[in-house]
Amino acid sequence: MKLRDTTVVALCAFLGVMALLTPIPVFSGPYEGLAADEVDWTCRMPLLSLAPPDVDLDDVRARVETAHVTADSTGAAYVPPKSPHPLCGGLARTQVVLALLAFAGAAWRGTVWWRSSTDARAEKRFKRLHAGASGNQGRKRLLR
């Protein structure tokens, strides 16, 4: 499948923006003694969380234990506490690097397109210029 250069530029730019703005929630496995369904792991937007504060796992474990005790004592369903994942910073930095690579690809492909279409743009300007000049031949001028 052959895509036009402008389409590739738009796709690369779109992927770069999405990588910068969309957190990827891939934390569905256990992490250091916490089961996957015990904590609702979250991450902020990658662009804003390049150096997030450290997550205190002991505090998260204490909140999980409190939520278990509350669920057992009240008979209600277990509601997992929310916490940022300790690996969000690494994932955010990875996403920023991927976004920069996507933007570099868009810039490179845009440059290739710009250079390959230079002749077509020049020909179009030339035709437009001469179409305006040749259209005045039939009119009479007052001052010649």
Side-chain angles (χ1 to χ4, degrees), residues 2-59:
K2 177 91 169 120
L3 294 175
R4 294 184 343 196
D5 289 334
T6 53
T7 305
V8 173
V9 168
L11 287 174
C12 287
F14 176 74
L15 289 174
V17 168
M18 292 306 292
L20 283 178
L21 301 179
T22 307
I24 299 175
V26 295
F27 307 113
S28 60
Y31 187 80
E32 292 190 18
L34 294 169
D37 57 346
E38 284 185 327
V39 181
D40 186 16
W41 298 114
T42 60
C43 282
R44 292 177 47 205
M45 185 183 339
L47 194 59
L48 301 177
S49 64
L50 292 177
D54 291 335
V55 176
D56 185 13
L57 288 176
D58 294 330
D59 179 49

Side-chain angles (χ1 to χ4, degrees), residues 21 30 43-45 65 73-74 79 84 90 93 95 110 134 138:
L21 301 179
C43 282
R44 292 177 47 205
M45 185 183 339
E65 186 62 34
S73 65
T74 61
V79 178
R93 289 186 289 273
Q95 283 183 258
S134 64

Side-chain angles (χ1 to χ4, degrees), residues 78 92 98 102 116 143:
Y78 174 72
L98 289 174
S116 68
L143 301 173

